[in-house]
PDB file of all heavy atoms in Angstrom:
ATOM      1  N   VAL J 581      11.361  35.262 -29.672  1.00  0.00           N
ATOM      2  CA  VAL J 581      11.997  35.561 -30.935  1.00  0.00           C
ATOM      3  C   VAL J 581      11.743  36.916 -31.326  1.00  0.00           C
ATOM      4  O   VAL J 581      10.416  37.319 -31.249  1.00  0.00           O
ATOM      5  CB  VAL J 581      11.574  34.472 -32.047  1.00  0.00           C
ATOM      6  CG1 VAL J 581      12.234  34.877 -33.346  1.00  0.00           C
ATOM      7  CG2 VAL J 581      11.919  33.142 -31.665  1.00  0.00           C
ATOM      8  N   PHE J 589      15.839  36.988 -37.728  1.00  0.00           N
ATOM      9  CA  PHE J 589      15.018  36.675 -36.605  1.00  0.00           C
ATOM     10  C   PHE J 589      15.855  36.158 -35.398  1.00  0.00           C
ATOM     11  O   PHE J 589      16.649  35.229 -35.537  1.00  0.00           O
ATOM     12  CB  PHE J 589      14.039  35.578 -36.941  1.00  0.00           C
ATOM     13  CG  PHE J 589      13.110  35.962 -38.124  1.00  0.00           C
ATOM     14  CD1 PHE J 589      13.526  35.640 -39.348  1.00  0.00           C
ATOM     15  CD2 PHE J 589      11.970  36.611 -38.036  1.00  0.00           C
ATOM     16  CE1 PHE J 589      12.843  35.985 -40.472  1.00  0.00           C
ATOM     17  CE2 PHE J 589      11.175  36.926 -39.124  1.00  0.00           C
ATOM     18  CZ  PHE J 589      11.564  36.605 -40.343  1.00  0.00           C
ATOM     19  N   ALA J 590      15.916  37.014 -34.305  1.00  0.00           N
ATOM     20  CA  ALA J 590      16.815  36.711 -33.200  1.00  0.00           C
ATOM     21  C   ALA J 590      16.141  35.790 -32.132  1.00  0.00           C
ATOM     22  O   ALA J 590      15.075  36.122 -31.610  1.00  0.00           O
ATOM     23  CB  ALA J 590      17.291  37.993 -32.626  1.00  0.00           C
ATOM     24  N   VAL J 591      16.737  34.620 -31.935  1.00  0.00           N
ATOM     25  CA  VAL J 591      16.340  33.694 -30.840  1.00  0.00           C
ATOM     26  C   VAL J 591      17.080  34.038 -29.596  1.00  0.00           C
ATOM     27  O   VAL J 591      18.362  33.925 -29.644  1.00  0.00           O
ATOM     28  CB  VAL J 591      16.402  32.251 -31.291  1.00  0.00           C
ATOM     29  CG1 VAL J 591      15.989  31.355 -30.139  1.00  0.00           C
ATOM     30  CG2 VAL J 591      15.699  32.012 -32.517  1.00  0.00           C
ATOM     31  N   LYS J 598      20.777  34.351 -30.999  1.00  0.00           N
ATOM     32  CA  LYS J 598      21.285  33.717 -32.256  1.00  0.00           C
ATOM     33  C   LYS J 598      20.267  34.205 -33.355  1.00  0.00           C
ATOM     34  O   LYS J 598      19.116  34.100 -33.202  1.00  0.00           O
ATOM     35  CB  LYS J 598      21.353  32.265 -32.133  1.00  0.00           C
ATOM     36  CG  LYS J 598      22.520  31.724 -31.255  1.00  0.00           C
ATOM     37  CD  LYS J 598      22.626  30.228 -31.246  1.00  0.00           C
ATOM     38  CE  LYS J 598      23.799  29.775 -30.460  1.00  0.00           C
ATOM     39  NZ  LYS J 598      24.045  30.338 -29.127  1.00  0.00           N
ATOM     40  N   VAL J 599      20.805  34.616 -34.491  1.00  0.00           N
ATOM     41  CA  VAL J 599      19.983  35.129 -35.656  1.00  0.00           C
ATOM     42  C   VAL J 599      19.858  34.144 -36.688  1.00  0.00           C
ATOM     43  O   VAL J 599      20.858  33.464 -37.115  1.00  0.00           O
ATOM     44  CB  VAL J 599      20.658  36.429 -36.126  1.00  0.00           C
ATOM     45  CG1 VAL J 599      19.837  37.074 -37.283  1.00  0.00           C
ATOM     46  CG2 VAL J 599      20.731  37.566 -34.961  1.00  0.00           C
ATOM     47  N   PHE J 600      18.664  34.019 -37.158  1.00  0.00           N
ATOM     48  CA  PHE J 600      18.310  33.076 -38.299  1.00  0.00           C
ATOM     49  C   PHE J 600      17.651  33.844 -39.374  1.00  0.00           C
ATOM     50  O   PHE J 600      17.002  34.937 -39.208  1.00  0.00           O
ATOM     51  CB  PHE J 600      17.339  32.026 -37.913  1.00  0.00           C
ATOM     52  CG  PHE J 600      18.028  31.115 -36.884  1.00  0.00           C
ATOM     53  CD1 PHE J 600      17.944  31.387 -35.478  1.00  0.00           C
ATOM     54  CD2 PHE J 600      18.639  29.882 -37.238  1.00  0.00           C
ATOM     55  CE1 PHE J 600      18.488  30.486 -34.552  1.00  0.00           C
ATOM     56  CE2 PHE J 600      19.185  29.034 -36.272  1.00  0.00           C
ATOM     57  CZ  PHE J 600      19.175  29.303 -34.939  1.00  0.00           C
ATOM     58  N   ALA J 601      17.747  33.465 -40.686  1.00  0.00           N
ATOM     59  CA  ALA J 601      17.117  34.075 -41.805  1.00  0.00           C
ATOM     60  C   ALA J 601      15.745  33.666 -42.034  1.00  0.00           C
ATOM     61  O   ALA J 601      14.982  34.359 -42.750  1.00  0.00           O
ATOM     62  CB  ALA J 601      18.048  33.892 -43.081  1.00  0.00           C
ATOM     63  N   ASP J 602      15.291  32.577 -41.385  1.00  0.00           N
ATOM     64  CA  ASP J 602      13.925  32.033 -41.622  1.00  0.00           C
ATOM     65  C   ASP J 602      13.179  32.040 -40.258  1.00  0.00           C
ATOM     66  O   ASP J 602      13.616  31.527 -39.310  1.00  0.00           O
ATOM     67  CB  ASP J 602      14.088  30.637 -42.168  1.00  0.00           C
ATOM     68  CG  ASP J 602      12.637  29.990 -42.402  1.00  0.00           C
ATOM     69  OD1 ASP J 602      12.142  30.300 -43.432  1.00  0.00           O
ATOM     70  OD2 ASP J 602      12.182  29.223 -41.587  1.00  0.00           O
ATOM     71  N   ARG J 603      11.938  32.665 -40.370  1.00  0.00           N
ATOM     72  CA  ARG J 603      11.225  32.749 -39.125  1.00  0.00           C
ATOM     73  C   ARG J 603      10.815  31.473 -38.572  1.00  0.00           C
ATOM     74  O   ARG J 603      10.952  31.266 -37.387  1.00  0.00           O
ATOM     75  CB  ARG J 603       9.929  33.545 -39.451  1.00  0.00           C
ATOM     76  CG  ARG J 603       9.080  33.960 -38.215  1.00  0.00           C
ATOM     77  CD  ARG J 603       7.644  34.240 -38.630  1.00  0.00           C
ATOM     78  NE  ARG J 603       6.840  32.970 -38.792  1.00  0.00           N
ATOM     79  CZ  ARG J 603       5.600  32.864 -38.837  1.00  0.00           C
ATOM     80  NH1 ARG J 603       4.860  34.006 -38.531  1.00  0.00           N
ATOM     81  NH2 ARG J 603       4.912  31.777 -39.061  1.00  0.00           N
ATOM     82  N   ASP J 604      10.329  30.485 -39.374  1.00  0.00           N
ATOM     83  CA  ASP J 604       9.927  29.185 -38.871  1.00  0.00           C
ATOM     84  C   ASP J 604      11.082  28.423 -38.242  1.00  0.00           C
ATOM     85  O   ASP J 604      10.910  27.699 -37.239  1.00  0.00           O
ATOM     86  CB  ASP J 604       9.235  28.371 -39.913  1.00  0.00           C
ATOM     87  CG  ASP J 604       7.862  28.986 -40.376  1.00  0.00           C
ATOM     88  OD1 ASP J 604       7.282  29.722 -39.500  1.00  0.00           O
ATOM     89  OD2 ASP J 604       7.377  28.683 -41.391  1.00  0.00           O
ATOM     90  N   GLN J 605      12.315  28.548 -38.868  1.00  0.00           N
ATOM     91  CA  GLN J 605      13.401  27.909 -38.354  1.00  0.00           C
ATOM     92  C   GLN J 605      13.713  28.421 -36.934  1.00  0.00           C
ATOM     93  O   GLN J 605      14.018  27.728 -36.009  1.00  0.00           O
ATOM     94  CB  GLN J 605      14.584  28.013 -39.247  1.00  0.00           C
ATOM     95  CG  GLN J 605      15.830  27.268 -38.691  1.00  0.00           C
ATOM     96  CD  GLN J 605      17.023  27.537 -39.596  1.00  0.00           C
ATOM     97  OE1 GLN J 605      17.207  28.405 -40.434  1.00  0.00           O
ATOM     98  NE2 GLN J 605      18.083  26.820 -39.265  1.00  0.00           N
ATOM     99  N   ALA J 606      13.659  29.766 -36.754  1.00  0.00           N
ATOM    100  CA  ALA J 606      13.975  30.505 -35.449  1.00  0.00           C
ATOM    101  C   ALA J 606      12.930  29.942 -34.481  1.00  0.00           C
ATOM    102  O   ALA J 606      13.322  29.647 -33.294  1.00  0.00           O
ATOM    103  CB  ALA J 606      13.884  31.964 -35.658  1.00  0.00           C
ATOM    104  N   LEU J 607      11.735  29.864 -34.807  1.00  0.00           N
ATOM    105  CA  LEU J 607      10.629  29.432 -33.874  1.00  0.00           C
ATOM    106  C   LEU J 607      10.872  27.954 -33.461  1.00  0.00           C
ATOM    107  O   LEU J 607      10.726  27.556 -32.218  1.00  0.00           O
ATOM    108  CB  LEU J 607       9.212  29.557 -34.465  1.00  0.00           C
ATOM    109  CG  LEU J 607       8.804  31.076 -34.668  1.00  0.00           C
ATOM    110  CD1 LEU J 607       7.437  30.962 -35.482  1.00  0.00           C
ATOM    111  CD2 LEU J 607       8.626  31.746 -33.325  1.00  0.00           C
ATOM    112  N   ASP J 608      11.269  27.145 -34.477  1.00  0.00           N
ATOM    113  CA  ASP J 608      11.498  25.705 -34.130  1.00  0.00           C
ATOM    114  C   ASP J 608      12.681  25.510 -33.164  1.00  0.00           C
ATOM    115  O   ASP J 608      12.738  24.702 -32.354  1.00  0.00           O
ATOM    116  CB  ASP J 608      11.694  24.844 -35.490  1.00  0.00           C
ATOM    117  CG  ASP J 608      10.361  24.787 -36.258  1.00  0.00           C
ATOM    118  OD1 ASP J 608       9.370  25.061 -35.694  1.00  0.00           O
ATOM    119  OD2 ASP J 608      10.485  24.493 -37.390  1.00  0.00           O
ATOM    120  N   VAL J 609      13.823  26.322 -33.485  1.00  0.00           N
ATOM    121  CA  VAL J 609      14.905  26.210 -32.643  1.00  0.00           C
ATOM    122  C   VAL J 609      14.563  26.693 -31.204  1.00  0.00           C
ATOM    123  O   VAL J 609      15.041  25.979 -30.261  1.00  0.00           O
ATOM    124  CB  VAL J 609      16.080  27.217 -33.212  1.00  0.00           C
ATOM    125  CG1 VAL J 609      17.245  27.308 -32.198  1.00  0.00           C
ATOM    126  CG2 VAL J 609      16.683  26.581 -34.527  1.00  0.00           C
ATOM    127  N   LEU J 610      13.888  27.705 -31.023  1.00  0.00           N
ATOM    128  CA  LEU J 610      13.490  28.086 -29.684  1.00  0.00           C
ATOM    129  C   LEU J 610      12.532  26.998 -29.023  1.00  0.00           C
ATOM    130  O   LEU J 610      12.808  26.728 -27.837  1.00  0.00           O
ATOM    131  CB  LEU J 610      12.774  29.405 -29.782  1.00  0.00           C
ATOM    132  CG  LEU J 610      12.311  29.976 -28.315  1.00  0.00           C
ATOM    133  CD1 LEU J 610      13.433  30.184 -27.444  1.00  0.00           C
ATOM    134  CD2 LEU J 610      11.464  31.355 -28.511  1.00  0.00           C
ATOM    135  N   GLU J 611      11.602  26.535 -29.776  1.00  0.00           N
ATOM    136  CA  GLU J 611      10.753  25.533 -29.102  1.00  0.00           C
ATOM    137  C   GLU J 611      11.514  24.296 -28.676  1.00  0.00           C
ATOM    138  O   GLU J 611      11.178  23.687 -27.618  1.00  0.00           O
ATOM    139  CB  GLU J 611       9.652  25.199 -30.167  1.00  0.00           C
ATOM    140  CG  GLU J 611       8.646  24.208 -29.534  1.00  0.00           C
ATOM    141  CD  GLU J 611       7.422  23.824 -30.463  1.00  0.00           C
ATOM    142  OE1 GLU J 611       7.064  24.756 -31.166  1.00  0.00           O
ATOM    143  OE2 GLU J 611       7.049  22.610 -30.434  1.00  0.00           O
ATOM    144  N   ALA J 612      12.451  23.844 -29.504  1.00  0.00           N
ATOM    145  CA  ALA J 612      13.245  22.701 -29.167  1.00  0.00           C
ATOM    146  C   ALA J 612      14.038  22.961 -27.837  1.00  0.00           C
ATOM    147  O   ALA J 612      14.181  22.128 -26.977  1.00  0.00           O
ATOM    148  CB  ALA J 612      14.205  22.321 -30.285  1.00  0.00           C
ATOM    149  N   ALA J 613      14.632  24.109 -27.768  1.00  0.00           N
ATOM    150  CA  ALA J 613      15.416  24.544 -26.607  1.00  0.00           C
ATOM    151  C   ALA J 613      14.455  24.638 -25.302  1.00  0.00           C
ATOM    152  O   ALA J 613      14.811  24.048 -24.262  1.00  0.00           O
ATOM    153  CB  ALA J 613      16.063  25.888 -26.815  1.00  0.00           C
ATOM    154  N   ARG J 636       2.138  29.475 -28.800  1.00  0.00           N
ATOM    155  CA  ARG J 636       2.871  30.443 -29.524  1.00  0.00           C
ATOM    156  C   ARG J 636       2.072  31.745 -29.618  1.00  0.00           C
ATOM    157  O   ARG J 636       1.038  31.666 -30.201  1.00  0.00           O
ATOM    158  CB  ARG J 636       3.345  29.977 -30.928  1.00  0.00           C
ATOM    159  CG  ARG J 636       4.278  28.817 -30.930  1.00  0.00           C
ATOM    160  CD  ARG J 636       4.728  28.456 -32.400  1.00  0.00           C
ATOM    161  NE  ARG J 636       5.696  27.430 -32.449  1.00  0.00           N
ATOM    162  CZ  ARG J 636       6.412  27.094 -33.604  1.00  0.00           C
ATOM    163  NH1 ARG J 636       6.085  27.666 -34.718  1.00  0.00           N
ATOM    164  NH2 ARG J 636       7.319  26.175 -33.486  1.00  0.00           N
ATOM    165  N   LEU J 654       6.998  32.118 -26.935  1.00  0.00           N
ATOM    166  CA  LEU J 654       6.769  30.685 -26.898  1.00  0.00           C
ATOM    167  C   LEU J 654       6.797  30.260 -25.460  1.00  0.00           C
ATOM    168  O   LEU J 654       7.665  30.663 -24.639  1.00  0.00           O
ATOM    169  CB  LEU J 654       7.747  29.866 -27.727  1.00  0.00           C
ATOM    170  CG  LEU J 654       7.354  29.658 -29.210  1.00  0.00           C
ATOM    171  CD1 LEU J 654       7.560  31.060 -29.931  1.00  0.00           C
ATOM    172  CD2 LEU J 654       8.326  28.701 -29.774  1.00  0.00           C
TER     173      LEU J 654
END
Side-chain angles (χ1 to χ4, degrees):
V581 176
F589 305 89
V591 179
K598 288 183 171 53
V599 178
F600 296 84
D602 181 77
R603 188 200 76 162
D604 291 341
Q605 182 186 10
L607 292 173
D608 290 344
V609 167
L610 178 59
E611 183 175 325
R636 292 185 174 190
L654 274 66

